[in-house]
Amino acid sequence: MLDLRFEPSFRPGMTAGRPYDQWRYREALPVGDDVVTMGEGWTPLLPVTFEGRQLLVKQEQLFPTGSYKDRGAAVLMTHLYELGVERVVEDSSGNAGCAVAAYAARVGIACDIYVPLDTSPAKTAQVEAYGATLHLVPGTREDTARAALEAAATYVYASHVYNPWFLQGTKTFAYEVAEQLGWTAPDTLVLPAGNGTLLLGAYLGFTELTRAGIVSHMPRIIAVQTAACAPLAGAFAEGLDEPIEIHASRTVAEGIAIATPARGSQVLAAVRATDGSFVVVSEQEIVASLRDCCRGGWFIEPTSAAVIAGARRYAHTAAPGETIVTAFTGHGLKAAAKIAELVESL
């Protein structure tokens, strides 16, 4: 896997007078000043109480395309635009494809998006609405990745997993959380672990902030997987450094149903380096969290509800006064049809 050797020159005072978006940290981003942007970033960090325990929830469902993937897509497409790229391919379970398609459209880059055949219709419609060419691939999420890799023999692979510029975008999650907490780090982050793009970005961001002395410590990282697809949690439990082989079953949390995460070893290393752990949630817990969030006024997609289910589970054992940050990772409109099917059980 490719990563960047890049040392930010950012200091908190540099944000004075700048817009409240993720580009306020531009000295921490390895691109030039001609950025591809739709005003993404600076999502609210709001207290939400579940069963008497308060979590700080980053409202990542409020991005232009409805998920945190816009963080990475904005930086990645800025980099590819700087290089003069004219066509890209990407594979996704939905949200990353939407983000790459949107930011490609923003600068007139042609785009082919490969997604599994059973991807939520709302997401496939969104991809096509941006003008991208949609490819529905039968089989597993891994079959979709293989199809995109074949296409990448001809066109640039704008991968949210393989391309390190995407992680340079998702690391702004850490910078925003730190600034919103008065340039301090929370005690704990509870984040999804599918391909791990938000988790690894947050780990990268807080590593940079800690190294620069901007925050005093690295948060503990709690990674969330579903019982239907938990190759990383299984590896962590067995003390392994690589994902275990699994037979994934169906889950409503399609966004983290990744049986063979390409950066799985890095996710495991990040969790261990922060003295973190994994939480595995059931389909029943996901649906219960989706119900509770919706009843509280938060319309989020089932994958996001899985993250909240994990955060709630972790909060039961957390120390009193522990500051726990998690995220609503995607909007409910991303999976409206699926949520409609679940309404009777909500």
Side-chain angles (χ1 to χ4, degrees), residues 94-339:
N95 284 340
C98 292
V100 169
Y103 285 84
R106 187 80 175 132
V107 286
I109 295 176
C111 185
D112 289 78
I113 302 294
Y114 291 74
V115 300
L117 184 61
D118 61 353
T119 298
S120 295
K123 294 177 182 177
T124 58
Q126 189 177 0
V127 167
E128 291 190 293
Y130 293 133
T133 301
L134 180 70
H135 303 264
L136 296 172
V137 182
T140 66
R141 176 65 179 83
E142 288 64 44
D143 293 324
T144 300
R146 281 190 287 271
L149 279 169
E150 290 177 9
T154 304
Y155 301 113
V156 170
Y157 191 22
S159 172
H160 66 292
V161 180
Y162 286 90
N163 196 302
W165 269 267
F166 197 93
L167 296 180
Q168 292 290 322
T170 57
K171 80 179 184 185
T172 60
F173 177 91
Y175 282 76
E176 286 182 23
V177 167
E179 185 174 7
Q180 288 169 322
L181 293 177
W183 292 113
T184 63
D187 297 307
T188 307
L189 297 171
V190 183
L191 297 173
N195 272 311
T197 51
L198 182 57
L199 186 153
L200 290 174
Y203 176 71
L204 174 61
F206 274 112
T207 296
E208 292 176 351
L209 290 164
T210 304
R211 185 186 303 132
I214 296 171
V215 301
S216 62
H217 67 277
M218 172 70 69
R220 178 187 303 108
I221 295 178
I222 307 299
V224 181
Q225 294 207 291
T226 73
C229 188
L232 295 171
F236 184 84
E238 295 180 22
L240 302 176
D241 296 329
E242 298 286 343
I244 62 172
E245 290 188 14
I246 64 163
H247 295 287
S249 53
R250 292 185 65 83
T251 173
V252 295
E254 64 182 12
I256 54 174
I258 311 297
T260 56
R263 291 187 183 268
S265 62
Q266 291 181 306
V267 173
L268 288 164
V271 171
R272 289 193 174 109
T274 63
D275 195 28
S277 63
F278 278 78
V279 173
V280 177
V281 296
S282 68
E283 295 300 293
Q284 292 78 11
E285 287 177 291
I286 297 169
V287 172
S289 282
L290 180 62
R291 176 199 62 217
D292 291 347
C293 288
C294 288
R295 295 293 186 267
W298 314 104
F299 192 49
I300 58 173
E301 66 174 330
T303 298
S304 184
V307 181
I308 298 304
R312 294 170 71 173
R313 174 93 73 79
Y314 173 77
H316 289 316
T317 59
E322 183 173 334
T323 303
I324 304 169
V325 170
T326 187
F328 290 149
T329 53
H331 203 286
L333 293 175
K334 293 281 194 172
K338 184 173 290 185
I339 294 173

Side-chain angles (χ1 to χ4, degrees), residues 9 12 91 212 284 305 332:
S9 58
D91 61 290
Q284 292 78 11

